[in-house]
Amino acid sequence: MPGTKWMMALLLAAGLAAAVGAAPASIPTSAQKITGEAARPSTRPNFVVLLADDLALMDLGTYGGEASTPNIESLASQGRMFTRYYSSPLCSPSRAMLLTGLDNHRTGVSTIQEVIPPEHMGQKGYSLRFEPGVRTIADRLKAQGYRTYMTGKWHLGHGSGDLPNDHGFDRSFVLDASGADNWEQKSYMPYYKTAPWFEDGKPATLPKDFYSSRFLVDRMIDYIDAGPADQPFFAYVGFQAVHIPVQAPAEFTRKYADTYREGWAAMRKARWQRAQDIGLIPQGAPLAEPVDGLRTWESLTREEQALFARHMAINAGMIEAMDHHVGRLIAHLKATGQYDNTVFVFTSDNGPEPSNPMAGSRLMDLWTRANGYSVSADNWGEKGTYGFIGPEFANAASSPGAMFKFYTSEGGLHVPMIMAGPGIAPAAPSAAMTTVSDIAPTLLAMAGGHADAGTFDGTSLLPVLSGESDAVRGPDVPVGFEVSGNAALFKGPYKVVRNLKPYGDGRWRLFDISTDPGETRDLSAAEPAKFAELMADYRAYAQRNGVLEMPEGYDSTQQIGKNTVKKMAGHYWYVLAGLAVLIVLGLYGALRLIRRRGRANPA
């Protein structure tokens, strides 16, 4: 049972530490832990931040998922797992919050370009790039004497002054798009003409033997090895796993061939049961009904069932492949004597991706074929595979939570987070409410840096990591999230949440997620005073951070379609111009023919 594995690993780690008289390195004193004003330790830790893309709370083996992730599990057994960690529901806002410790609106990256309505474009907080005065943790650590590196997904802009080299990173090899192919340098959707990769601020070309997880770790190892050994480093790896298209080498995917054949309802129920077994949720906590509009497994043809079961097998294999390459990075740091002084952070940017790009879209079908993609149950994730899990399996993956990526229900916000390394005592999983904005102030404090009051919206996790406290913030401190109209605010055990179309209805609801993490019982009518209190807190949060209201009738799916058409018009203007010329010539020819016939047959 996963819970037994956690305790055995933790007891073993504690026993080994006691046997050799080990003590956590450089743990600040009590006052220093809270303020982050610790004197710089003689050996400052390295930092490795590993960010998965669209990974659900229970996707990892150590959180009860089906995928084998022994290397990430080893980090969890040596450090702390967090069971109430929240990110934003969407990729770029989460990445901005992770790197800055600020609310996404304060960074300038309130949402992503694919879904922003024209009414919001260019508004303060909605420039979709880091706005003047915003500093990243790389910039702050560089000022502390760290060397700073990044590989992987950036998705925070590549205009003048927007890439990592302009935000504190010494070396970087990054993708500035929401996603891309994992085997080749090509786009995964019509919104992008190609896959825009950059090294140190300049356009880059991928090698012929590219596979995303392997390459990102290889390049990070190169950067670390090339730097001065006596200087600590900050290494940030933004994996493409498991963003669309899900792809992985067959040696990782084939073992999951039969894992998902019973369908999404069976998977959702099984994860819910495991979540109770390992203590992620209380025993007997209810499981939400499927989101309205989702299909039943039984309504699919055998061919459709085979396709989606195969895509989930590839999804699990892609997670295992990522873990394998995380293990390679860990092994390299051990071999070079750097592992024992390295703090690791592993997390995800948001919940699982619900998109089904092929659903009723003839244009998308033509585009994928024209770009060398295949959507078939015969694929195992190799080059040319176009894999996606769709909304039904995303809803299953998000169990025991409700909904998925882009929405502020638990399935969109509640994701895994693990920290391990010097100063982090191995202990049972922490149920402290933590957020993506807490990472930057934690790393700065661990590096011995100082931050003035108001520098971060997040809070240092040092008191929890050192075992001094069980909580990061008091129960009366409200914590808000908002992306493209989907919004939530937490306060103690309570949460108010609103989700817009297409899967939401725009209504605010109140839940006690300590007993109802599936968000099944709306308490807004039963507890009107608490509902009013949290709504007032949300309005204060929105005003403080410059949250804009969405245009009437906003639907993210429709907005993606509109924005994609505009982008395609820009990408392929010459094709449209050619078609226009042909239409004009055709009309001209038809008009001449009509006139000629008119002269030949006068009335």
Side-chain angles (χ1 to χ4, degrees):
M1 222 168 71
T4 303
K5 289 194 292 182
W6 288 357
M7 294 311 301
M8 288 294 291
L10 291 168
L11 288 170
L12 177 61
L16 288 173
V20 299
S26 305
I27 299 178
T29 65
S30 298
Q32 292 166 340
K33 290 171 195 168
I34 297 171
T35 65
E37 296 175 357
R40 183 175 297 178
S42 57
T43 303
R44 290 173 295 155
N46 305 310
F47 298 112
V48 172
V49 176
L50 306 167
L51 184 66
D53 200 330
D54 298 347
L55 192 77
L57 174 67
M58 293 186 68
D59 273 345
L60 300 174
T62 192
Y63 276 84
E66 302 80 22
S68 175
T69 53
N71 297 295
I72 298 170
E73 187 166 342
S74 73
L75 295 177
S77 69
Q78 297 166 42
R80 297 297 298 272
M81 288 176 54
F82 288 80
T83 60
R84 280 204 65 206
Y85 172 85
Y86 291 91
S87 192
S88 100
L90 198 56
C91 48
S92 295
S94 296
R95 290 159 200 274
M97 296 167 78
L98 173 71
L99 286 171
T100 65
L102 297 172
D103 182 82
N104 52 312
H105 305 84
R106 292 185 63 196
T107 71
V109 188
S110 294
T111 184
I112 62 173
Q113 56 187 345
E114 289 89 336
V115 301
I116 190 170
E119 294 90 338
H120 289 181
M121 290 182 180
Q123 301 259 26
K124 181 174 175 54
Y126 292 76
S127 61
L128 309 187
R129 60 192 297 269
F130 285 139
E131 294 182 350
V134 173
R135 296 182 65 190
T136 67
I137 186 60
D139 186 38
R140 295 182 188 279
L141 289 175
K142 190 172 183 178
Q144 295 288 315
Y146 277 71
R147 43 197 171 112
T148 54
Y149 310 127
M150 179 185 174
T151 60
K153 179 173 167 180
W154 175 246
H155 202 202
L156 295 167
H158 59 264
S160 177
D162 289 343
L163 283 164
N165 56 299
D166 293 302
H167 291 286
F169 287 95
D170 295 322
R171 300 297 312 275
S172 59
F173 199 112
V174 299
L175 170 71
D176 189 52
S178 57
D181 194 90
N182 293 280
W183 294 103
E184 304 174 79
Q185 189 162 0
K186 66 179 184 180
S187 171
Y188 80 105
M189 64 180 291
Y191 186 90
Y192 298 100
K193 190 174 183 180
T194 186
W197 286 90
F198 300 86
E199 184 165 32
D200 300 333
K202 297 178 181 178
T205 301
L206 299 178
K208 291 184 178 180
D209 65 347
F210 175 79
Y211 177 70
S212 61
S213 292
R214 181 183 64 235
F215 175 82
L216 298 179
V217 166
D218 283 347
R219 189 52 57 103
M220 183 57 74
I221 289 173
D222 291 343
Y223 288 162
I224 292 171
D225 286 355
D230 61 348
Q231 189 179 3
F233 64 78
F234 168 69
Y236 170 37
V237 183
F239 289 102
Q240 290 175 238
V242 278
H243 196 283
I244 291 176
V246 290
Q247 301 167 319
E251 61 262 32
F252 295 106
T253 61
R254 288 181 182 273
K255 66 181 69 176
Y256 301 102
D258 297 325
T259 304
Y260 302 98
R261 289 186 180 232
E262 293 185 18
W264 38 68
M267 175 189 169
R268 180 163 172 76
K269 184 177 180 181
R271 285 199 176 187
W272 168 67
Q273 291 172 332
R274 287 199 297 275
Q276 296 172 78
D277 293 341
I278 65 179
L280 280 179
I281 61 173
Q283 286 290 334
L287 179 66
E289 292 296 320
V291 178
D292 288 344
L294 300 188
R295 299 168 295 178
T296 64
W297 184 250
E298 293 72 24
S299 71
L300 271 60
T301 65
R302 286 187 177 182
E303 291 76 15
E304 290 171 328
Q305 290 179 351
L307 175 67
F308 281 99
R310 180 62 54 84
H311 282 184
M312 278 303 296
I314 298 169
N315 190 75
M318 193 176 188
I319 294 168
E320 183 176 337
M322 174 184 64
D323 178 84
H324 169 77
H325 294 292
V326 168
R328 290 178 49 242
L329 177 58
I330 291 172
H332 181 79
L333 294 176
K334 287 181 176 179
T336 54
Q338 300 175 93
Y339 174 81
D340 290 339
N341 193 43
T342 299
V343 171
F344 291 86
V345 180
F346 180 92
T347 187
S348 175
D349 60 348
N350 45 246
E353 169 64 68
S355 296
N356 178 350
M358 311 307 294
S361 175
R362 179 61 178 162
L363 175 63
M364 190 65 187
D365 180 58
L366 292 171
W367 184 90
T368 52
R369 292 174 186 272
N371 283 272
Y373 281 119
S374 166
V375 180
S376 169
D378 294 329
N379 296 330
W380 281 105
E382 312 92 325
K383 187 179 292 187
T385 296
Y386 198 88
F388 50 89
I389 67 173
E392 292 87 2
F393 263 129
N395 190 59
S398 70
S399 181
M403 303 184 83
F404 25 62
K405 175 182 177 179
F406 196 63
Y407 297 92
T408 46
S409 292
E410 293 291 283
L413 300 177
H414 193 187
V415 295
M417 198 274 278
I418 295 165
M419 291 191 70
I424 302 171
S430 170
M433 197 280 185
T434 56
T435 77
V436 62
S437 295
D438 297 336
I439 301 298
T442 303
L443 300 187
L444 184 62
M446 296 182 87
H450 170 75
D452 294 330
T455 298
F456 298 114
D457 291 322
T459 302
S460 172
L461 303 179
L462 285 185
V464 171
L465 295 173
S466 66
E468 179 188 283
S469 175
D470 292 330
V472 177
R473 45 183 60 83
D476 293 329
V477 177
V479 179
F481 293 91
E482 191 276 347
V483 172
S484 293
N486 298 324
L489 183 130
F490 298 83
K491 192 173 186 180
Y494 289 96
K495 173 186 179 182
V496 286
V497 59
R498 175 188 67 188
N499 290 304
L500 303 185
K501 295 186 291 186
Y503 289 109
D505 59 10
R507 280 184 53 203
W508 283 99
R509 292 173 170 86
L510 174 70
F511 300 102
D512 180 345
I513 56 172
S514 66
T515 59
D516 182 25
E519 298 170 311
T520 65
R521 299 185 291 260
D522 178 11
L523 302 176
S524 57
E527 300 189 38
K530 181 60 66 174
F531 182 58
E533 176 189 335
L534 266 70
M535 288 304 304
D537 287 333
Y538 177 77
R539 288 190 292 272
Y541 157 81
Q543 183 175 10
R544 182 172 64 251
N545 291 286
V547 177
L548 299 179
E549 284 298 317
M550 303 306 294
E552 185 70 26
Y554 174 83
D555 181 316
S556 60
T557 302
Q558 293 179 7
Q559 194 64 58
I560 290 173
K562 294 175 183 177
N563 292 352
T564 298
V565 168
K566 291 179 182 178
K567 274 284 185 177
M568 290 182 71
H571 295 332
Y572 306 108
W573 62 268
Y574 50 90
V575 175
L576 297 175
L579 288 173
V581 170
L582 290 174
I583 291 171
V584 169
L585 290 175
L587 290 173
Y588 177 70
L591 182 61
R592 290 193 63 185
L593 180 62
I594 292 170
R595 287 179 175 176
R596 190 177 297 124
R597 287 179 177 176
R599 294 192 190 102
N601 300 292

